[in-house]
């Protein structure tokens, strides 16, 4: 159950406000005989009889995204969402968050969503509950990226001056922003690997979950430290930046997909990874590229030719220069001839070739990849 902090009657501090809402919520549920329910308290905005709540509406979205991403089990799931009650923005944002989470989970899991809305109850009559939406097999690769602005938090209820931004940066965000700036292009390349269908990018640049979690924890800590509670007013002086929601989704994605950190993969391994994580639309491009490589590898195997790591263009006999071109990288499922290397081990049969042909990115050139992807996602 998701409740807004605007229901509080306690204004000692923000922790007390949240505790009050949870206590009242659990008390209400017990009276109804409802058990095994967890309550999430999210920030609301507006003026009510009990008090005034100042803050950005999108705070609700970000906190619910954070909480549900952490709490929903990462396995096959059928989610039932009741949107009958709540302020209009709460209903809209909760639905949006739940659907976005399930679309990411659906990359590797079987997930579905059923949304309900109830008619107003009338004493003595049976209340009708309507199914508003029934979505099965949800799946949508993440297509959100971290911009160079790296806005994890922004000023909201305090003046936007250089001095206030400097203080914000010094109060714990400096290290997290440096992590994001350092890894931003690599993280974006990894996100894009699932959207565009680059399995070798996926395994080569797999992010470190602890670094992403550190950024999330630091951002939330600084955000909460800037919540003021006075009289009957709760004022959230900061708001979440656009990059924070992308970092949250990145962390969810890391925890949903199989953790595969490998620099070199056989043709068969690439196929298997593609089956697990890629959308049907991009699998065809990948399969076309792998078939082309496998065909040439079989031809070499038939002539008892084996070799250690060489540029892929050596195997494909591609008359290309040394330049790594963005459109070629995209068109060939990330297996661009100048940047990809191939190794062919002895295979005892045609079938075994796909297990004995390995691909990796050149150590000297692989750092170009995040730059290439940056150009792709920025248009």
């Amino acid at each position: 159950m998701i409740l807004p902090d605007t229901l509080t009657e306690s204004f000692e501090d923000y922790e007390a406000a949240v505790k009050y809402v949870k206590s009242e919520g659990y008390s209400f549920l017990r009276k109804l005989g409802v058990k095994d329910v967890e309550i999430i308290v999210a920030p609301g905005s507006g003026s009510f009889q009990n008090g005034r709540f100042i803050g950005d509406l999108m705070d609700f979205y970000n906190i619910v995204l954070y909480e549900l991403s952490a709490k929903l089990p990462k396995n096959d799931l059928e989610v039932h969402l009741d949107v009958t009650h709540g302020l209009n923005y709460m209903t809209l944002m909760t639905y949006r968050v739940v659907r976005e989470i399930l679309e990411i989970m659906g990359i590797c899991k079987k997930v579905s969503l059923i949304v309900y809305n109830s008619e107003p109850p009338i004493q003595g009559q049976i209340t009708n509950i309507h199914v508003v939406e029934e979505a099965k097999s949800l799946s949508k690769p993440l297509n959100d990226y971290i911009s160079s602005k790296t806005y994890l938090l922004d000023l909201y209820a305090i003046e936007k001056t250089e001095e206030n931004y400097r203080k914000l940066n010094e109060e714990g965000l400096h290290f997290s922003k440096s992590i994001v700036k350092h890894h931003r292009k690599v993280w974006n390349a990894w996100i894009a690997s699932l959207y565009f269908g680059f399995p070798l990018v996926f395994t080569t640049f797999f992010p470190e979950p602890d670094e992403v979690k550190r950024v999330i924890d630091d951002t939330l800590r600084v955000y909460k430290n800037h919540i003021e509670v006075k009289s009957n007013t709760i004022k959230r002086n900061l708001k979440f930046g656009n990059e924070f929601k992308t970092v949250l989704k990145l962390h969810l994605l890391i925890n949903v997909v199989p953790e595969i950190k490998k620099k070199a993969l056989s043709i068969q391994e690439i196929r298997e990874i593609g089956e697990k994580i890629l959308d049907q639309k991009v699998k065809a491009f990948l399969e076309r590229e792998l078939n082309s490589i496998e065909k040439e590898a079989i031809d070499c195997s038939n002539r008892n030719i084996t070799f250690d790591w060489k540029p892929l263009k050596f195997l494909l006999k591609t008359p290309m220069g040394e330049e790594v071109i963005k459109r070629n990288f995209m068109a060939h499922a990330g297996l661009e001839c100048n940047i990809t290397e191939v190794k062919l081990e002895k295979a005892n049969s045609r079938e075994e070739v796909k297990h004995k042909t390995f691909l990796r990115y050149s150590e000297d050139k692989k750092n170009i990849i995040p730059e290439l992807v940056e150009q792709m996602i920025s248009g």
Side-chain angles (χ1 to χ4, degrees):
M1 177 179 283
I2 300 169
L3 298 175
D5 58 9
T6 55
L7 296 174
T8 193
E9 297 283 351
S10 177
F11 292 88
E12 297 171 31
D13 53 39
Y14 193 67
E15 187 178 334
V18 170
K19 186 177 180 181
Y20 178 90
V21 175
K22 284 189 175 182
S23 177
E24 290 296 304
Y26 284 125
S27 176
F28 176 77
L29 291 172
R30 282 194 296 271
K31 291 175 183 176
L32 296 177
V34 178
K35 299 178 181 178
D36 299 324
V37 173
E38 184 172 352
I39 292 176
I40 294 171
V41 177
S45 299
S47 295
F48 307 91
Q49 289 184 343
N50 57 316
R52 190 175 177 213
F53 302 83
I54 302 168
D56 186 51
L57 277 181
M58 288 302 294
D59 291 353
F60 181 92
Y61 167 90
N62 282 284
I63 291 298
V64 173
L65 177 60
Y66 166 75
E67 293 284 355
L68 289 183
S69 294
K71 296 180 189 303
L72 283 175
K74 309 302 183 292
N75 48 34
D76 295 348
L77 207 59
E78 182 177 273
V79 173
H80 297 260
L81 176 63
D82 181 2
V83 295
T84 302
H85 304 287
L87 299 170
N88 51 3
Y89 70 87
M90 285 179 55
T91 302
L92 175 65
M93 290 185 185
T94 300
Y95 170 80
R96 176 181 163 188
V97 166
V98 170
R99 189 174 181 96
E100 287 176 352
I101 289 174
L102 293 182
E103 286 174 345
I104 292 172
M105 290 179 60
I107 293 170
C108 295
K109 311 294 179 184
K110 292 181 180 179
V111 295
S112 59
L113 172 64
I114 304 172
V115 183
Y116 303 92
N117 191 278
S118 171
E119 293 179 1
I122 300 175
Q123 191 172 3
Q125 295 185 19
I126 296 174
T127 301
N128 291 320
I129 299 176
H130 301 278
V131 175
V132 179
E133 179 182 357
E134 191 167 359
K136 296 192 176 182
S137 301
L138 286 170
S139 177
K140 185 178 179 181
L142 181 59
N143 195 27
D144 293 344
Y145 302 99
I146 302 168
S147 77
S148 58
K149 295 178 181 178
T150 60
Y151 276 145
L152 298 170
L153 288 171
D154 200 357
L155 304 178
Y156 182 77
I158 51 180
E159 190 178 358
K160 293 186 176 183
T161 64
E162 287 187 15
E163 177 64 15
N164 284 336
Y165 275 113
R166 184 187 63 78
K167 288 179 180 178
L168 173 61
N169 195 46
E170 289 177 352
E171 290 182 27
L173 269 190
H174 177 73
F175 185 66
S176 288
K177 287 183 74 173
S178 68
I179 291 175
V180 176
K181 285 181 179 179
H182 180 72
H183 294 291
R184 181 183 71 82
K185 291 181 181 179
V186 172
W187 288 353
N188 283 345
W190 187 77
I191 292 170
S193 72
L194 285 95
Y195 186 82
F196 292 105
F198 307 150
L200 197 54
V201 174
F202 176 83
T203 63
T204 303
F205 296 100
F206 202 101
E208 290 297 331
D210 290 345
E211 289 182 321
V212 182
K213 185 68 164 58
R214 169 69 186 271
V215 172
I216 293 170
D217 291 343
D218 281 356
T219 304
L220 287 169
R221 176 180 54 78
V222 175
Y223 169 80
K224 290 176 181 177
N225 286 343
H226 284 77
I227 298 177
E228 290 183 28
V229 181
K230 293 181 181 178
S231 301
N232 282 22
T233 300
I234 292 178
K235 183 168 71 168
R236 304 190 300 276
N237 287 312
L238 303 179
K239 67 176 183 176
F240 294 106
N242 286 331
E243 277 62 56
F244 183 65
K245 67 178 174 61
T246 305
V247 173
L248 286 174
K249 291 177 182 179
L250 169 62
H251 191 253
L252 171 64
L253 187 57
I254 291 170
N255 285 283
V256 166
V257 298
E259 184 176 335
I260 307 172
K261 299 178 180 179
K262 294 183 73 173
K263 306 299 183 187
L265 297 169
S266 69
I267 289 177
Q268 182 60 20
E269 286 176 310
I270 293 176
R271 279 201 178 101
E272 290 172 356
I273 292 169
E275 284 298 319
K276 290 177 182 176
I277 66 171
L278 297 184
D279 186 85
Q280 199 65 40
K281 295 176 183 177
V282 296
K283 283 180 188 176
F285 291 97
L286 174 63
E287 188 60 28
R288 181 192 64 190
E289 198 63 25
L290 292 178
N291 286 341
S292 176
I293 295 170
E294 188 175 358
K295 179 183 176 182
E296 296 299 330
I298 289 171
D299 180 61
C300 285
S301 181
N302 288 340
R303 292 183 285 134
N304 293 318
I305 296 174
T306 62
F307 50 82
D308 206 352
W309 294 107
K310 291 180 180 289
L312 181 58
K313 61 183 178 181
F314 170 83
L315 175 68
L316 298 181
K317 308 177 186 70
T318 307
M320 293 180 64
E322 294 296 321
E323 185 183 1
V324 181
I325 303 173
K326 177 183 69 174
R327 66 174 180 270
N328 289 339
F329 185 86
M330 189 171 182
H332 295 282
L335 304 174
E336 198 271 346
C337 284
N338 289 295
I339 205 170
T340 309
E341 296 180 339
V342 60
K343 179 173 76 169
L344 184 58
E345 295 181 352
K346 181 174 175 56
N348 296 317
S349 66
R350 181 188 180 95
E351 178 64 22
E352 198 178 11
V353 171
K354 62 188 176 186
H355 298 280
K356 295 295 184 178
T357 305
F358 298 90
L359 298 167
R360 74 177 184 187
Y361 289 125
S362 163
E363 278 297 320
D364 295 335
K365 297 180 179 180
K366 73 176 184 180
N367 290 335
I368 300 172
I369 294 171
E371 295 292 341
L372 284 174
V373 176
E374 189 76 9
Q375 295 171 29
M376 289 166 51
I377 63 179
S378 61

